[in-house]
């Protein structure tokens, strides 16, 4: 009965996100919007569990200063929901480059069915450098708060941790690009230990308003105190529809 209630709660959260996604998709055509349909394959290396995950994400650029991204993902072990917003109050531009200074905020929820539930709240100052030859550097460092509820324990566990991410982008045109990132978290993964995530991906145009994305992620265990150890890896693909 308890497992059934947990599954029902997760389905309700997913349904609420779907309604929000559909509602935001009906906004006026003024802001730049997109919807991603994702499919990810995770191997069973280390302590990771082999799983196939499916998800949907919705992004909107309200202006040059504000953008938001939300979505959810499900697999046989867990269900994730997230919301991220970036506000850019300061933009500097020269003849050869430009600089953006922003604040990124993220809320993430994961339900491990019969094991645990977690909330992550992140506040990250965000910096972006864009130079010539369609090259850009994005970097952020901030603070995260994790609230965990383990089944069998009657109270929430609270932890604080540092967050960091650096990403390099090479844009070939307005759509096609290759990117490389090194971070201690990604959209659906937030660990207390400083265990880096290495990401390599590309986005390619298929049609005028449809792009194809391919991404590989390698998860390492620690790497700073002990030697490099590959904890897991994920291959993801997504189809992006521009609205």
């Amino acid at each position: 009965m308890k497992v059934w209630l947990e599954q029902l709660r997760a389905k309700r959260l997913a349904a609420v996100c779907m309604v929000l996604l559909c509602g935001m998709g009906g906004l006026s055509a003024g802001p730049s919007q997109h919807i991603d349909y994702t499919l990810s394959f995770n191997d069973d290396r280390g302590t990771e569990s082999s799983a196939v995950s499916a998800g949907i994400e919705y992004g909107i650029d309200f202006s040059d200063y504000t953008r938001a991204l939300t979505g959810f993902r499900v697999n046989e072990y867990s269900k994730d929901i997230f919301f991220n917003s970036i506000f850019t109050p300061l933009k500097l531009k020269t003849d050869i480059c430009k600089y953006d200074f922003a604040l990124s905020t993220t809320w993430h929820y994961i339900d491990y069915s019969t094991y645990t539930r977690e909330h992550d709240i992140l506040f990250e100052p965000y910096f972006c450098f864009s130079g010539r030859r369609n090259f850009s550097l994005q970097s952020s460092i901030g603070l995260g708060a994790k609230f965990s509820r383990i089944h069998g324990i009657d109270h929430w566990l609270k932890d604080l941790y540092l967050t960091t991410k650096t990403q390099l982008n090479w844009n070939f045109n307005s759509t096609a690009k290759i990117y490389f990132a090194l971070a201690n978290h990604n959209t659906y993964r937030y660990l207390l230990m400083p265990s880096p995530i290495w990401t390599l991906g590309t986005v390619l145009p298929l049609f005028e308003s449809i792009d194809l994305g391919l991404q590989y992620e390698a998860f390492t265990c620690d790497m700073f105190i002990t030697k490099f150890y590959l904890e897991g890896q994920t291959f993801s693909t997504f189809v992006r529809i521009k609205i």
Side-chain angles (χ1 to χ4, degrees):
M1 183 66 178
K2 188 174 182 180
V3 174
W4 181 83
L5 289 174
E6 292 291 340
Q7 293 175 345
L8 180 61
R9 184 183 296 110
K11 290 178 180 178
R12 286 178 177 175
L13 288 170
V16 170
C17 282
M18 179 62 75
V19 171
L20 291 174
L21 291 173
C22 294
M24 288 187 287
L27 294 173
S28 63
S32 173
Q33 307 171 61
H34 71 267
I35 295 178
D36 292 354
Y37 298 93
T38 64
L39 194 64
S40 301
F41 306 88
N42 192 71
D43 69 4
D44 57 355
R45 185 184 300 271
T47 59
E48 298 286 328
S49 299
S50 177
V52 178
S53 303
I56 181 172
E57 299 174 6
Y58 170 81
I60 178 170
D61 293 348
F62 294 99
S63 66
D64 291 338
Y65 299 92
T66 308
R67 62 181 185 269
L69 182 67
T70 186
F72 67 90
R73 183 186 71 168
V74 296
N75 59 48
E76 61 179 310
Y77 301 106
S78 63
K79 305 166 186 67
D80 295 79
I81 304 170
F82 82 95
F83 176 82
N84 170 258
S85 65
I86 296 179
F87 173 60
T88 310
L90 179 61
K91 288 177 173 285
L92 302 177
K93 187 175 182 179
T94 68
D95 294 336
I96 59 175
C97 62
K98 63 178 182 178
Y99 306 89
D100 294 346
F101 299 88
L103 175 64
S104 173
T105 59
T106 303
W107 167 74
H108 168 257
Y109 170 79
I110 184 170
D111 186 346
Y112 279 110
S113 298
T114 59
Y115 298 105
T116 184
R117 304 192 306 273
E118 294 181 359
H119 292 270
D120 292 280
I121 301 175
L122 279 64
F123 297 93
E124 299 173 292
Y126 174 89
F127 167 77
C128 180
F129 164 82
S130 300
R132 288 182 174 179
R133 300 180 181 178
N134 297 322
F135 168 80
S136 64
L137 166 68
Q138 299 169 313
S139 182
S140 64
I141 183 170
L143 185 66
K146 182 183 291 290
F147 304 89
S148 307
R149 183 70 179 268
I150 300 174
H151 296 296
I153 299 179
D154 294 332
H155 62 274
W156 288 88
L157 304 178
K158 306 175 184 65
D159 295 282
L160 296 177
Y161 56 98
L162 292 176
T163 67
T164 180
K165 181 176 182 179
T166 299
Q167 179 169 319
L168 305 176
N169 306 286
W170 291 270
N171 299 283
F172 300 104
N173 52 43
S174 59
T175 298
K177 72 174 182 179
I178 294 176
Y179 57 90
F180 170 78
L182 175 61
N184 69 343
H185 66 87
N186 62 13
T187 305
Y188 297 107
R189 187 182 181 92
Y190 303 85
L191 300 180
L192 296 177
M193 287 184 60
S195 300
I197 302 173
W198 303 79
T199 303
L200 178 64
T202 183
V203 180
L204 303 170
L206 291 181
F207 303 101
E208 182 178 356
S209 59
I210 300 178
D211 299 335
L212 173 67
L214 302 172
Q215 180 175 279
Y216 170 78
E217 294 175 297
F219 312 120
T220 60
C221 180
D222 191 357
M223 199 183 86
F224 297 104
I225 300 176
T226 62
K227 66 178 183 180
F228 178 90
Y229 177 75
L230 185 62
E231 179 72 7
Q233 51 190 351
T234 297
F235 176 77
S236 303
T237 181
F238 64 86
V239 175
R240 174 168 296 169
I241 300 177
K242 302 173 186 175
I243 303 174

